Amino acid sequence: MADAPDIVDLTITNVAHGGVFVARHEGRVVFVPDTLPGETVRARLVDTRKKSFWRAEALEVLDASADRVDHVWSASAIDRDPADRAGGAEFGHIALPRQRTLKADVLSDALVRFGGLDADSPFVRTVVEPTAGDDDGNGLHWRTRVSLHVDGEGRVGPYAARSHRVITVEDLPLATSEVAAAAPLRERLDGATTVDVVLSADGVLVAVDGAARTGAVHERVGERTFSLEPLGFWQVHREAAVLLSSAVSSAVDAGRFDPAAPNLDLYGGVGLFAATLADRFGRGVRVTTVEAESSATDHAAENLSDVVGARAVTARVDRFVRSIGAERDVARYRAATIVLDPPRSGAGTAVVGELAALQPAQIIYVACDPVALARDTKALRASGYELDSLRAFDLFPHTHHVEAVAAFTRTGDRPS
């Protein structure tokens, strides 16, 4: 061990939520990025203010895991000073199959610790499924949308990991070839602060400080074309919209689905999952898609114009669901199917409670954060619902993120 008091040798024991790994030093938990379970690393303690845990940054690998590989992005590699490591590829030093087992471990741990599931529940052993084409390409070239930053000297690049310091880079290996070629990495953009590079079915656009060409862009999913704002939300992985549409469709139990019920697509964006329901159950299906962003709702109305029973509502989901609870004929929602795709923070206890009070036939939950999903799972279980199915997908290779699609049904409706 080096003489400096803030330099320590640590043995990594397991993975934690958020793309960091766990070690112990003098009885205290230490979170360390850029490592792997089973490794011994030399690290610098960088945050020792809390009594419950400290944070450190890995400087050198003393005993490497068999799953460690050369980092897919040299700008993030461990041989760079920690302050100069580009953020956004925090699992890039790990073999792809091991990345997925680590993500499954995080999901399983969250479901037990925060979701209240038994350790022997089959959902605690959920496998993280690869996305088509990623294994052949080593998990590279999947990002169709990249957000970059510009520093005070006009230099363009990603932020350093866990900081707001711009790092100049030579390449963007997670981006599609079209996005990578269009990114102005070698340009000076004096006075700017952000650069977005977006690939849609219409081609590539580059927006500096949010300024993009006027008009909509378009995305194709199966036989459907979706319009959206140039910088509006759309799934980032090139295959994500198709994969998640299929997963949501499969998660819906046809025996519990009533096309005439007041079905809901919450946090609905431009109507992707409302369209999924219509494409499976017919274009006469009743479904309301709810989204707080009015421009997205306008596009949803256009995208669902062929669905006779569809409507698009601009509203905050919590307020919309609360207003339903005040309706006189609230019992009609017992036949409904509700799909929700909340932000990373999850739907939250209040929204989950309001939804459960409606007693819908089934709830399909699309989640991009394991802990948020687990907490909302606990709230649903406490309100009379049980987890019926769960699938997880590796839609963000070389990062710690994982997507999941969960289905919940009323406890009293489950077969004995």
Side-chain angles (χ1 to χ4, degrees):
M1 183 181 298
D3 294 333
D6 60 339
I7 305 296
V8 295
D9 292 351
L10 300 172
T11 298
I12 310 301
T13 56
N14 57 314
V15 65
H17 179 247
V20 296
F21 296 84
V22 180
R24 287 188 176 274
H25 178 65
E26 297 179 352
R28 184 178 279 101
V29 169
V30 183
F31 293 125
V32 195
D34 304 320
T35 62
L36 263 164
E39 291 190 329
T40 300
V41 300
R42 183 152 293 157
R44 179 187 295 118
L45 299 173
V46 293
D47 187 350
T48 58
R49 294 170 297 174
K50 295 183 181 293
K51 292 184 178 180
S52 55
F53 66 87
W54 287 352
R55 294 189 182 276
E57 52 193 18
L59 303 176
E60 178 185 358
V61 179
L62 303 178
D63 185 11
S65 165
D67 293 310
R68 178 174 284 273
V69 297
D70 290 340
H71 205 292
V72 297
W73 195 10
S74 61
S76 294
I78 197 168
D79 58 1
R80 291 173 67 105
D81 186 283
D84 293 331
R85 293 174 195 162
E90 62 276 6
F91 275 13
H93 61 291
I94 307 170
L96 271 179
R98 182 63 170 140
Q99 291 184 32
R100 295 177 189 135
T101 63
L102 290 169
K103 295 178 186 187
D105 290 344
V106 171
L107 177 59
S108 298
D109 180 67
L111 290 171
V112 172
R113 292 177 59 203
F114 302 107
L117 296 188
D118 293 333
D120 59 355
S121 165
F123 302 119
V124 173
R125 297 186 294 276
T126 298
V127 173
V128 175
E129 304 174 35
T131 305
D134 280 350
D135 282 343
D136 292 340
N138 191 31
L140 304 177
H141 312 307
W142 52 267
R143 289 194 70 100
T144 60
R145 284 154 170 76
V146 170
S147 292
L148 302 170
H149 306 275
V150 186
D151 68 12
E153 298 182 17
R155 293 174 297 199
V156 179
Y159 280 147
R162 296 166 292 281
S163 96
H164 286 172
R165 180 166 170 264
V166 172
I167 302 297
T168 57
V169 298
E170 295 295 321
D171 59 350
L172 298 170
L174 302 191
T176 66
S177 57
E178 299 94 330
V179 168
L185 298 178
R186 296 170 181 82
E187 296 181 23
R188 289 295 180 101
L189 302 178
D190 293 328
T193 58
T194 63
V195 179
D196 290 281
V197 187
V198 175
L199 172 65
S200 70
D202 303 326
V204 180
L205 67 85
V206 178
V208 178
D209 287 344
R213 65 174 175 78
T214 58
V217 298
H218 301 85
E219 297 284 1
R220 293 280 298 171
V221 180
E223 299 300 313
R224 281 190 176 274
T225 299
F226 291 85
S227 69
L228 63 149
E229 291 298 294
L231 300 184
F233 174 79
W234 189 256
Q235 295 291 339
V236 173
H237 193 293
R238 64 179 185 278
E239 300 293 338
V242 172
L243 186 153
L244 290 176
S245 294
S246 175
V248 166
S249 179
S250 298
V252 175
D253 183 342
R256 291 183 170 95
F257 188 84
D258 182 351
N263 304 296
L264 299 174
D265 171 22
L266 303 180
Y267 311 94
V270 297
L272 175 64
F273 296 132
T276 296
L277 296 179
D279 289 343
R280 180 175 177 191
F281 295 104
R283 298 188 179 182
V285 68
R286 286 187 62 191
V287 59
T288 298
T289 183
V290 182
E291 169 60 49
E293 177 55 55
S294 60
S295 61
T297 308
D298 291 343
H299 286 291
E302 176 186 346
N303 296 333
L304 299 168
S305 60
D306 65 317
V307 182
V308 177
R311 68 183 183 124
V313 173
T314 301
R316 276 180 37 173
V317 168
D318 57 344
R319 294 175 181 172
F320 178 84
V321 175
R322 195 178 309 125
S323 71
I324 290 176
E327 292 181 9
R328 302 179 94 182
D329 190 17
V330 72
R332 63 198 178 103
Y333 284 91
R334 283 184 60 87
T337 291
I338 297 177
V339 180
L340 66 156
D341 182 13
R344 194 169 302 283
S345 56
T349 303
V351 169
V352 167
E354 296 278 3
L355 289 178
L358 300 176
Q359 300 184 60
Q362 55 190 326
I363 297 172
I364 313 301
Y365 191 128
V366 182
C368 58
D369 184 271
V371 171
L373 172 62
R375 287 173 174 156
D376 289 345
T377 294
K378 184 175 184 178
L380 282 166
R381 296 178 74 229
S383 300
Y385 282 78
E386 278 296 341
L387 186 57
D388 251 9
S389 68
L390 176 66
R391 294 177 69 188
F393 304 97
D394 192 15
L395 290 179
F396 309 91
H398 301 299
T399 82
H400 73 277
H401 298 293
V402 61
E403 197 89 6
V405 176
F408 298 86
T409 56
R410 289 190 301 250
T411 305
D413 294 345
R414 294 162 64 88
S416 57

